[in-house]
Amino acid sequence: MTDTNSGWDGRGARGGTEGARVRAQEAISGPGVSGPGSTASGISGPAARGPRTARSRRVNAVPIVSIVALAALATACEPGTATGAQDAPPPVRATQAAAPTASPSPTASATDDANPPSPTTPPPSPKASTAAPARTAPAPSTTPAPRVLMRTGSQSDQVRELQARLRQIGHFGRNPTGYYGSVTADSVRSFQAKRRLTVTGSADEVTWKRLLAMTRVPTAAELHPPTERPVATPDERCLKGRVLCISKKSRTLAWMIDGKVVSAMDVRFGSEYTPTREGVFEVFWKSRDHVSTLYDTPMPYALFFSGGQAVHYSADFAANGYGGASHGCVNVRDKKKVAALFDQVKNGDKVVVSW
């Protein structure tokens, strides 16, 4: 009698459920695993070559659903790489970018870029790097510096001409004094910078020649104006008689006789702690070579009008201009003018100091 549940027919052929199970196992492990000792088919020992009992067949039977799921996993869903696949080169994808070409050497010339070497030509050997040449200090100039003709502190007629010529072309905004102070030095720097000369503030030969070429010979009025600053309108008290008319507003002194200006000069006054007194006074003492006993300073050509306050020449005013102040006196910086004034003024002449 043939057992229809065993999966075996009378001739030992596989069929039915058992055949499906075995085929599934073969799909997993491939052919050639039904030999003795094979574990892939679930059959071991002599039972693999002959009929088995129904009990053993029932014990070894595997549910069909499990077998089908196992076969599906073995054939399609298992992640990873198939056996032996790592030895084969991966297929070239159609979208894979072409291998980048070697970029030309940074030292290659345009000719080398236009005519690359043939494939059979061996690549050129890299050039040996060479050290950068050492920098050498520039050789010192052998041209001598131009000779300086005038500088800060100089006092001469040439300085007066320099100032007058600078004023002609707008680089000196005051009347010439003949003294080379900070204002003159700044004016020379301005001139040198605009003409692209070496900016030093001193009048050298190059600067002087360039200035002469750009200006004309100054007139007597340009060289010796009455004062550096414009003379103020005279106070009404100055219009009669002989008067030293002094204005703090314009910082000028005008020597006037009956309303006419005889001479004028720049002056400066005392500081806020030692102010020059204002009002109407008169000259009571003249001292040509006076020296202050209080401050031990020279006061040449002094014309005293109020206590210790006097009109006199000041070397400090001539050198430093309005950067300083007196101790209450009226300082004059033009020595020639104040010397002439000293000779003309008499004791008893009126002095008016006003704003």
Side-chain angles (χ1 to χ4, degrees), residues 38-212:
S38 173
T39 60
S41 63
I43 304 173
S44 60
R49 296 184 297 273
R52 296 187 300 175
T53 63
R55 188 170 181 270
S56 65
R57 285 193 299 270
R58 284 193 300 270
V59 170
N60 292 327
V62 179
I64 295 175
V65 175
S66 301
I67 293 172
V68 172
L70 183 61
L73 290 173
T75 56
C77 300
E78 179 70 18
T81 305
T83 304
Q86 59 269 29
D87 295 332
V92 179
R93 298 181 180 180
T95 59
Q96 185 174 359
T101 58
S103 59
S105 170
T107 58
S109 63
T111 304
D112 295 334
D113 293 338
N115 301 284
S118 62
T120 58
T121 304
S125 58
K127 296 181 180 180
S129 61
T130 57
R135 294 183 178 180
T136 57
S141 175
T142 57
T143 304
R147 183 169 62 96
V148 175
L149 304 177
M150 294 163 278
R151 57 167 56 90
T152 302
S154 300
Q155 187 169 2
S156 64
D157 289 338
Q158 189 179 24
V159 173
R160 186 179 293 273
E161 183 181 355
L162 169 73
Q163 295 167 336
R165 288 179 180 271
L166 287 171
R167 185 172 182 176
Q168 289 178 7
I169 55 177
H171 285 280
F172 191 75
R174 301 182 179 181
N175 289 337
T177 62
Y179 177 77
Y180 203 119
S182 59
V183 175
T184 304
D186 289 341
S187 300
V188 171
R189 289 190 189 94
S190 174
F191 174 80
Q192 291 170 331
K194 189 170 183 179
R195 271 68 191 181
R196 298 183 180 179
L197 303 175
T198 303
V199 180
T200 61
S202 297
D204 53 37
E205 291 178 323
V206 175
T207 302
W208 180 244
K209 289 179 180 179
R210 180 68 66 86
L211 182 62
L212 291 178

Side-chain angles (χ1 to χ4, degrees), residues 322-338:
Y322 291 98
S326 72
H327 292 98
C329 289
V330 179
N331 291 162
V332 181
R333 61 180 169 188
D334 192 320
K335 196 171 185 178
K336 291 182 179 180
K337 285 186 177 183
V338 74

